[in-house]
Structure formats: structure tokens, C-alpha cells
Amino acid sequence: MDKNMFCFQCEQTIRCSGCTGNSGVCGKTADTAKLQDELTGALIGLARAVDSTTAVSKKTSQVIIEGLFTTVTNVNFDNASIENMIQKVRAEKERLAPDCSKCQSPCGKTDEYDMQQLWNADEDIRSLKSLILFGIRGMAAYAYHANVLNYEDDEVNLFFCEALFKIGYEENTETLLSTVLKVGEINLKCMALLDKANTETYGTPEPTEVTLTVEKGPFIVVTGHDLKDLQLLLEQTSGKGINIYTHGEMLPAHAYPFLKKFPHLKGNFGTAWQNQQKEFDHLPAPILYTTNCLMPPKNSYADRVFTTEVVAFPGTVHIDEKKDFTPVIEKALELGGYKEDQILTGINGGTKVTTGFGHAAILSHADTVIKAVKSGDISHFFLVAGCDGAKPGRNYYTEFVKQTPSDSVILTLACGKFRFNDLDLGEIGGLPRLMDIGQCNDAYGAIQVAVALADAFECSVNELPLSFVLSWYEQKAVCILLTLLHLGIKNIRLGPSLPAFLSPNILNFLVENYGIGPITTPEEDIKALQSGCVQ
């Protein structure tokens, strides 16, 4: 494949086929894309060097997880940082297999993988390996968040090596397909691990109303997903006269009891990640970038952007592992914030949003929900969730939610909810019709709600009056989709377009076995999805 670059891991890839020019739609340059390929090839070499089939050391696992997370869309566009990560991977491989580099009769066991072999492979092999690769990249993000809170799982860690090994060596379609579904199986364990890490560290989320008004005076905006970074920033800004506002996927932080106790965690600023360049332009405050779901900073505010963890953009200040947020705090005091309170709104004009309807909160009202279903007060549940993006056609999700029947309940999570989370859809039986479960990281909670309802009605999840309408943008959405397929959930609607890395044969397999299909129009999809066997 003689191209400047090749990347088709996100939904916005050019012509839904692949970015091949000097830069991708996301802003990633061809040089950065090639370095990310080199990093992936090095990770496969490291996985080959892991000779234990029962355990992977904590150090090796951390390197693999960090390396995979670095290649997720919109995490790291800084070439020097990626080159450092490549050297870190190679150093770990040398530690595990110190004699390989000196061997006079190399066996090739720990050779790095040339990603051109994948991009030029038979389309079905390429499709299956891409599903595995993009799935474990997304899963690595969840594992990373859990690790930050000192939670890890040996089975999850070992599977990263297994999956990387299969990408480098395996050419059998049946074996690869089995591994694709295993990504979904292991990701379920990984999401459960992260759910445990978050709730045991910060408490069980509680339904919480969050204002979109920004008060006058110095403030800091925190975007991304990492609750630990937010916690540390809240602690370091306590008593300094600086307010903290979440952005994008950080919104659900307001629902955690431990974080809610900080009075200067005031509200939420802005909407989803793809609007950052507009919302952050000329903002009189610094912005802390903690994980993915980020846009490359414009020159108008690049001097106010601070990165941490695996996030890196050229020209921005990076907060290292010491987690001293003094530069961010000083910038907030220097800029001073707004002179007067700013009454801001969501996409639909609402001035507040509600979050915190995690699985514990919803299931605490299980009796009310079950009674409402049996009485006919609730006719259907729609899980409208996933990643947002800038590509045209995503207003489908706003219109879908607006057109859902007044006796239906909408569950949502991830940044796609900003298309409609400021709408007032009313209540059923004292419960809001629209319930925000949390971040994309909280998809485990949605699964637990579905499983609990199925148990209550003594039927399968597929027999519930529950429909999945998902939007996808990047790799975390891929691993969640694979988890749903692992659980046997069928008739999922996916949009705004289907992944470019699905070959016709693999797509046909998903359609025939799982009923997965593209979104059409809100009217047609609502009509088609309203069915269920619950009595």
C-alpha cells in the first residue's frame, strides 16, 4: 500500500475507506500515523517475547496498556512522545529477552511486526485483525483508568499479549473470529474492573443535577475521562478561589460522592469533544486534557492547554507523573475567568443536565420500573449511546430521542448524549424518561441493567422491550460493541456509518448472526425497534 499513511480506525475516515494523505481527518499527520504503526509493531514484538502462558508481569502489562492507549484516536499527536513510548516498549522487550539482540542465529520470535503486512492483507483477514486491534486499543483505555486507581486483572493483562500475538501470527479466519468475540468477553471483565475501581474509590454514583452556568472569577476546565486527575486537581485548588468545571466525558464525575464533596466543583462547561475548538476558543481559563476524546488545540488557546498521562500535543505543557498542577493553577489565576456569570446552554438550549443514573441507582428503583412495564406505563427502553463526532448525520440521535414515544425510557452514556441530554422529556412514575448512566467507561452499568431486567422478567435480553441504538467514533466504542456481540445481543442499530474496516464478508456475518444494521431514519427505526415479549 504505497500511501503517505493509512488509517481507518475512526468513524470519520475519508470517504469511509481510509485516510491516506498527508494527514487524517482527526488532524493526525502522516508522520504521526507511521510512528503509531511502528509503536503497534513494537508492541506485537513485546507480546512475542512474553514466554509465560499463565501470567504477565505488572511492569510488562503497564507498558503494553500504555502503548496501546497511546494509539487510540485523538490521544497523542506528539511525535517525540510516541518515539519515547516506542523506546520504552523495546527496552521492556530487551529486559524479557536480553539475548535476542545479540543472537547470531535469530529465530525471529521477538521481531517487530510490520503493519504494512496487516494493511495489505486479504480483506477478511485485515478486517478481523483490525477488529481485534482496535478492540484491544479501546480496552486498554479502560484498563489504564483502572490501573491508575491500582486495580488490575491478570486475565485481562494476559489477553492483551494473546491478542497482539494473534494479530502478528494468526492467518486462520475461524481462529481470528473467535478472538474477535473473545475481545468482547475480556472487555466485559475489564469494564467490570473499572466499575469496581471507580465505585470503591469514589463511591456509588447518585443522580445529580448539574448546572451549565459558569460563575465569574478564575476557573479551570477538565476534559477527558480520568477521575484521578480531577480528584488531584480538586485537592490542589481547594481554598484558592478557583472553580472547576467538567467538560465532555468528565461530566459524570459530578455524581460520585467523594468528588461531590468539593464545593468548587461547580458545573459542566460546553458539550462533546468535537466542539472543543469552538468552545475553547478565547476561553479565559486553562483546560486540562486528561485522556482521549480531544481535538488538537488551536493557536488561539494552545497556551492554555495542559496535558497529562499519555496525552500529548506539540507545544502544550505536560504535567508529569508528579502531578503538580501548579502551572495550571497559576494560569487560571493569571487569566482571571469571566467578569460576570455566564449562563450557557446545551445544544438544545437547556441550562442544566442530569447524570448519575448508574446501574446501582436505576436498579434501586427496579420494583417501580418492573411495575411500570407490567402496567403498560413503560412500553419500551431505548439505549441511545456512544461516541459523538463532527461528521454530518449525527443529528439523527437528537431527532431519534425527540421522537421516542412518551411512554418510553431512554438510557444513555458516553459523549453522544450531548446531542440531547439538555432536553426535558418529563417523567414516568417519578423517574425521568432520560437517564444518563455515565461515561463510555460505564457501559458495564448499562449491561447490568439489561441483565437485571431480563432476570426479573425471566427472559433473555433480546426478548426485552429494549433496543440498542449506538453511535460510534473510535476504538472504545468498538470494544463495547464486541462485548454486546459476545453477550449475544441482537438487532443493534449502529451509525452514523458502518466501520470502514468491516469487509463485506465480515459485515454479512454480523448481519446474519446478530442482526446488526445501519441506522436509517428516526421514524423508521423507532417503528422497527418497538417490539418485545415482556408480559
Side-chain angles (χ1 to χ4, degrees):
M1 184 174 291
D2 186 19
K3 305 290 184 182
N4 289 341
M5 64 180 286
F6 180 73
C7 184
F8 62 173
Q9 70 174 4
C10 85
E11 188 269 335
Q12 293 185 173
T13 191
I14 293 175
R15 292 184 294 276
C16 202
S17 60
C19 294
T20 58
N22 294 322
S23 64
V25 174
C26 67
K28 177 172 59 180
T29 66
D31 287 343
T32 302
K34 289 176 180 177
L35 282 172
Q36 290 186 351
D37 274 358
E38 186 177 344
L39 173 55
T40 303
L43 286 166
I44 292 173
L46 174 56
R48 288 171 168 175
V50 176
D51 57 6
S52 170
T53 58
T54 57
V56 183
S57 74
K58 183 174 182 178
K59 182 177 180 181
T60 302
S61 296
Q62 288 177 335
V63 170
I64 290 174
I65 289 168
E66 184 179 344
L68 285 169
F69 193 10
T70 297
T71 63
V72 169
T73 298
N74 288 13
V75 169
N76 192 320
F77 287 178
D78 185 76
N79 289 353
S81 174
I82 300 172
E83 287 171 347
N84 287 338
M85 189 69 234
I86 293 170
Q87 295 309 314
K88 192 173 181 178
V89 172
R90 288 172 176 163
E92 181 62 14
K93 183 178 74 173
E94 179 68 17
R95 188 183 72 84
L96 294 179
D99 297 327
C100 279
S101 61
K102 305 172 186 176
C103 182
Q104 299 301 309
S105 302
C107 64
K109 177 187 175 184
T110 63
D111 284 355
E112 295 183 4
Y113 181 70
D114 181 358
M115 291 295 286
Q116 289 302 309
Q117 294 182 53
L118 174 53
W119 307 141
N120 289 302
D122 166 83
E123 65 175 358
D124 290 341
I125 296 295
R126 183 178 75 165
S127 183
L128 291 168
K129 288 189 175 185
S130 294
L131 276 167
I132 296 168
L133 175 61
F134 302 155
I136 62 172
R137 283 177 174 176
M139 187 168 70
Y142 300 141
Y144 188 95
H145 296 316
N147 286 357
V148 165
L149 298 175
N150 297 315
Y151 286 73
E152 62 177 329
D153 183 285
D154 289 342
E155 186 177 8
V156 171
N157 292 342
L158 182 61
F159 180 72
F160 283 120
C161 293
E162 177 187 333
L164 285 166
F165 190 91
K166 293 284 177 63
I167 293 166
Y169 268 134
E170 187 59 62
E171 299 297 326
N172 180 279
T173 55
E174 290 186 5
T175 302
L176 289 171
L177 181 58
S178 174
T179 305
V180 166
L181 295 177
K182 190 172 180 180
V183 173
E185 175 189 355
I186 302 300
N187 183 57
L188 181 62
K189 296 179 183 293
C190 190
M191 289 194 298
L193 177 72
L194 180 56
D195 181 80
K196 180 180 180 181
N198 285 339
T199 55
E200 290 188 353
T201 303
Y202 299 112
T204 301
E206 305 164 344
T208 303
E209 188 175 278
V210 183
T211 181
L212 303 183
T213 294
V214 177
E215 297 180 11
K216 64 181 181 180
F219 67 97
I220 298 170
V221 173
V222 186
T223 190
H225 305 72
D226 202 296
L227 299 177
K228 182 67 174 182
D229 283 322
L230 178 61
Q231 173 201 336
L232 296 174
L233 182 64
L234 286 166
E235 291 171 349
Q236 292 181 35
T237 51
S238 182
K240 289 184 167 60
I242 299 173
N243 291 329
I244 306 298
Y245 293 86
T246 56
H247 176 274
E249 284 279 65
M250 199 62 83
L251 166 65
H254 291 274
Y256 287 94
F258 181 88
L259 300 175
K260 288 172 68 173
K261 72 179 184 181
F262 292 95
H264 59 301
L265 178 60
K266 289 289 186 175
N268 191 72
F269 171 84
T271 53
W273 70 271
Q274 78 279 358
N275 299 320
Q276 287 175 0
Q277 291 184 333
K278 176 182 178 182
E279 294 173 348
F280 294 167
D281 200 22
H282 305 296
L283 188 70
I287 311 106
L288 179 64
Y289 284 21
T290 67
T291 57
N292 65 315
C293 292
L294 306 171
M295 290 288 285
K298 293 171 62 177
N299 291 334
S300 59
Y301 63 87
D303 64 327
R304 282 159 276 162
V305 170
F306 297 81
T307 62
T308 189
E309 297 295 335
V310 298
V311 182
F313 287 91
T316 60
V317 176
H318 189 75
I319 305 298
D320 63 20
E321 63 274 6
K322 295 178 182 178
K323 296 297 183 180
D324 181 359
F325 290 109
T326 298
V328 191
I329 293 169
E330 291 177 343
K331 180 62 73 172
L333 294 172
E334 172 194 332
L335 294 170
Y338 292 113
K339 301 300 183 184
E340 302 293 339
D341 291 357
Q342 302 292 306
I343 302 176
L344 306 177
T345 69
I347 290 176
N348 303 286
T351 58
K352 59 185 179 181
V353 294
T354 302
T355 189
F357 284 94
H359 57 95
I362 294 176
L363 295 178
S364 70
H365 297 282
D367 291 344
T368 301
V369 173
I370 293 169
K371 182 179 179 181
V373 172
K374 289 185 175 180
S375 67
D377 291 338
I378 295 178
S379 67
H380 207 85
F381 297 88
F382 294 98
L383 178 66
V384 186
C387 311
D388 206 357
K391 194 173 181 178
R394 288 183 176 269
N395 60 321
Y396 162 94
Y397 296 95
T398 308
E399 294 305 313
F400 185 98
V401 169
K402 285 181 177 179
Q403 294 181 37
T404 53
S406 59
D407 60 354
S408 64
V409 170
I410 297 91
L411 306 176
T412 190
L413 54 86
C415 60
K417 63 175 170 277
F418 284 98
R419 294 276 173 177
F420 49 78
N421 70 334
D422 61 326
L423 293 170
D424 183 0
L425 300 181
E427 297 182 345
I428 298 178
L431 297 174
R433 284 190 56 223
L434 177 60
M435 299 185 191
D436 174 20
I437 293 174
Q439 298 179 342
C440 63
N441 303 6
D442 297 311
Y444 175 77
I447 292 170
Q448 294 308 299
V449 171
V451 170
L453 288 174
D455 288 344
F457 289 109
E458 299 182 345
C459 67
S460 70
V461 172
N462 289 318
E463 293 172 313
L464 287 170
L466 168 65
S467 300
F468 293 77
V469 183
L470 307 181
S471 61
W472 83 282
Y473 175 75
E474 42 87 346
Q475 297 78 68
K476 290 192 285 184
V478 174
C479 65
I480 291 171
L481 176 63
L482 295 181
T483 293
L484 296 177
L485 298 184
H486 157 71
L487 293 170
I489 294 174
K490 297 185 177 181
N491 301 318
I492 296 169
R493 293 293 178 267
L494 183 65
S497 56
L498 295 179
F501 49 81
L502 290 179
S503 68
N505 286 335
I506 302 305
L507 177 59
N508 286 339
F509 173 84
L510 296 177
V511 171
E512 292 173 3
N513 290 273
Y514 298 97
I516 193 170
I519 58 173
T520 58
T521 66
E523 297 85 356
E524 292 175 357
D525 288 345
I526 289 172
K527 183 178 180 180
L529 291 171
Q530 285 190 90
S531 63
C533 75
V534 175
Q535 302 296 322

